[in-house]
Amino acid sequence: MTESISPKRIDHIGIAVRSLEQSVPLYRDVLGLKFLGYETVESEQVRVAFMEIGESRIELLEPLSPDSPIAGYMEKKGEGIHHIALRVDGIEQELDRLSASGFRLIHERPKVGAHGSRVAFVHPKSTLGVLYELCQPED
């Protein structure tokens, strides 16, 4: 039996959007979520906006270029939920355990994501079609 990872909570849900300027007002003004700000994540070729909801966040992802992973995703599936991020401690150990259990990883080692967090993605072919991000906030 596969050992489970030890998520602390849902850190955020990533939603692919064509335009942050058009999307942020929906989440902030209509849905009433607290707007936390914009950030550019060069490693993923996206500009993001974070919205707070309880102890979790919504991450809106706008592609910076037509060849970014988010642009490719939207070309195939359109705008919508892209990933669910699980907050973990010891991200390297979690990745090692998943790999040893036969899970397909998009990132074998964490890289720097938004807010300086260390992040890595688990391939959706290993998780019933859902793209999961493991995320460990900067200490």
Side-chain angles (χ1 to χ4, degrees), residues 30-91:
V30 177
L31 297 177
L33 303 183
K34 181 180 176 185
F35 174 69
L36 299 177
Y38 294 104
E39 184 175 346
T40 298
V41 183
E42 293 293 341
S43 66
E44 293 298 318
Q45 300 175 30
V46 293
R47 185 168 168 243
V48 300
F50 279 98
M51 315 300 290
E52 187 175 67
I53 179 166
E55 65 177 27
S56 297
R57 295 170 293 160
I58 301 283
E59 177 187 42
L60 304 176
L61 303 126
E62 174 189 75
L64 288 176
S65 71
D67 56 337
S68 76
I70 291 297
Y73 173 86
M74 286 194 302
E75 192 174 299
K76 293 177 189 168
K77 299 191 178 197
E79 293 179 293
I81 294 177
H82 178 259
H83 67 272
I84 298 173
L86 303 175
R87 183 174 288 198
V88 299
D89 291 330
I91 191 169

Side-chain angles (χ1 to χ4, degrees), residues 12-43:
H12 66 270
I13 297 172
I15 300 176
V17 300
R18 296 195 196 293
S19 165
L20 291 178
E21 281 68 33
Q22 292 177 359
S23 302
V24 165
L26 167 68
Y27 289 87
R28 182 191 59 216
D29 303 336
V30 177
L31 297 177
L33 303 183
K34 181 180 176 185
F35 174 69
L36 299 177
Y38 294 104
E39 184 175 346
T40 298
V41 183
E42 293 293 341
S43 66

